Amino acid sequence: MMRVSELFYSIQGEGKLMGVPSVFVRASGCNLRCVWCDTPYASWEPEGEAVGVEAIVEEALKFGAHHVVITGGEPMIMPDIGPLCDLLKARDFHVTIETAGTVHAAVRLDLASISPKLSNSTPTEREGGRFARAHEEKRLNVPVIQRLIDESPDFQLKFVVCEPADMGEIHGLLGQLRGWSAEDVLLMPEGIDRQTLEARSGWLGEICKTEGFRFCPRLHVLLYGNRRGT
Ligand code: SF4
């Protein structure tokens, strides 16, 4: 069983597979509490029913797509993430898992989309800061990120960037990791509306040109706005 807040068919808006029509399975529940989380219904206030992995795969098959993205929340903390991936692979799906890279699970996947959380994610002021300490303690786990890089057929390191000063933290983390190249690193502006994304895209694009990293727009926000099921 897996608690699922939504399952839908859309266009992958982020990462190496941006633009690919994909089925999204959103696991509900997260071990982090990012202040800018764009899916609070799967983290701060998790919603959804527990669904059997066979039923999830049957639902995914209805769309006729080749790509499935297991996202969250945090899929890697779900007890049945391994069986779900096995079943999806048995039906010949291409499987992406979107994870913050804080928890390891032995899973069959095609693309590990790892999004390490920077200090800009820490909720120091939200809800009196009651989640800030736990979030800060858990948000980075370098050995887990390294293991995901080492074990995955393909991976990407996707960073949510709020301001140019975030680059110091990104370089600090990348300096602790092995086996990546610049094309595996994606920089994505933080924001859930077109105006914010546009305001942050100019300088972030220039940083990508300097560093050789990939610029990662949030295509689904530009296509659909910040709406559930997209
Ligand atoms: S890790 Fe992802 S789902 Fe969890 S709180 Fe952060 S942004 Fe939200």
Side-chain angles (χ1 to χ4, degrees), residues 30 32-34 36-37 39 43 72-73 100 117:
C30 189
L32 300 182
R33 291 292 183 276
C34 300
W36 38 250
C37 181
T39 54
S43 58
K117 297 300 181 272

Side-chain angles (χ1 to χ4, degrees), residues 26-27 29-40 42-44 71-75 98-102 115 117 121 135 160:
R26 188 177 304 287
C30 189
N31 58 334
L32 300 182
R33 291 292 183 276
C34 300
V35 66
W36 38 250
C37 181
D38 61 352
T39 54
S43 58
W44 287 84
T71 186
E74 176 51 79
E98 296 186 334
T99 174
T102 61
S115 183
K117 297 300 181 272
S121 66
H135 178 93
V160 177

Side-chain angles (χ1 to χ4, degrees), residues 151-169:
E151 294 177 352
S152 302
D154 196 8
F155 71 92
Q156 60 194 18
L157 293 162
K158 190 175 64 179
F159 294 96
V160 177
V161 183
C162 293
E163 56 183 355
D166 291 342
M167 292 309 300
E169 281 181 59

Side-chain angles (χ1 to χ4, degrees), residues 24-230:
F24 289 79
V25 179
R26 188 177 304 287
S28 191
C30 189
N31 58 334
L32 300 182
R33 291 292 183 276
C34 300
V35 66
W36 38 250
C37 181
D38 61 352
T39 54
Y41 51 92
S43 58
W44 287 84
E45 296 166 9
E47 301 174 5
E49 303 295 322
V51 185
V53 291
E54 294 85 1
I56 293 172
V57 175
E58 288 307 312
E59 197 63 28
L61 282 165
K62 291 179 182 171
F63 298 101
H66 177 52
H67 288 76
V68 169
V69 181
I70 308 174
T71 186
E74 176 51 79
M76 292 303 205
I77 64 173
M78 305 297 157
D80 278 352
I81 184 66
L84 175 59
C85 291
D86 288 343
L87 273 181
L88 288 167
K89 291 305 298 172
R91 301 307 291 260
D92 208 26
F93 279 109
H94 177 287
V95 176
T96 297
I97 293 188
E98 296 186 334
T99 174
T102 61
V103 177
H104 180 268
V107 292
R108 291 178 66 200
L109 50 71
D110 297 286
L111 174 64
S113 180
I114 312 162
S115 183
K117 297 300 181 272
L118 307 178
S119 61
N120 64 29
S121 66
T122 303
T124 19
E125 291 173 16
R126 184 164 169 175
E127 296 195 14
R130 67 192 179 102
F131 289 107
R133 186 170 168 187
H135 178 93
E136 193 59 28
E137 287 173 355
K138 285 187 277 189
R139 70 179 170 80
L140 278 183
N141 190 327
V142 175
V144 168
I145 297 171
Q146 187 63 59
R147 202 168 164 191
L148 284 166
I149 291 173
D150 294 341
E151 294 177 352
S152 302
D154 196 8
F155 71 92
Q156 60 194 18
L157 293 162
K158 190 175 64 179
F159 294 96
V160 177
V161 183
C162 293
E163 56 183 355
D166 291 342
M167 292 309 300
E169 281 181 59
I170 292 171
H171 283 299
L173 176 60
L174 291 174
Q176 300 175 63
L177 297 170
R178 308 174 309 278
W180 58 272
S181 64
E183 66 178 27
D184 299 315
V185 179
L186 298 98
L187 305 184
M188 185 169 73
E190 191 279 327
I192 55 172
D193 60 78
R194 182 179 288 269
Q195 291 79 2
T196 305
L197 293 176
E198 285 178 357
R200 289 177 166 160
S201 291
W203 53 259
L204 190 54
E206 292 306 308
I207 289 173
C208 288
K209 284 161 65 180
T210 302
E211 305 274 0
F213 298 151
R214 293 191 191 191
F215 178 76
C216 180
R218 307 194 73 210
L219 179 61
H220 55 301
V221 175
L222 302 177
L223 285 174
Y224 305 113
N226 182 38
R227 288 197 287 117
R228 286 169 76 152
T230 59

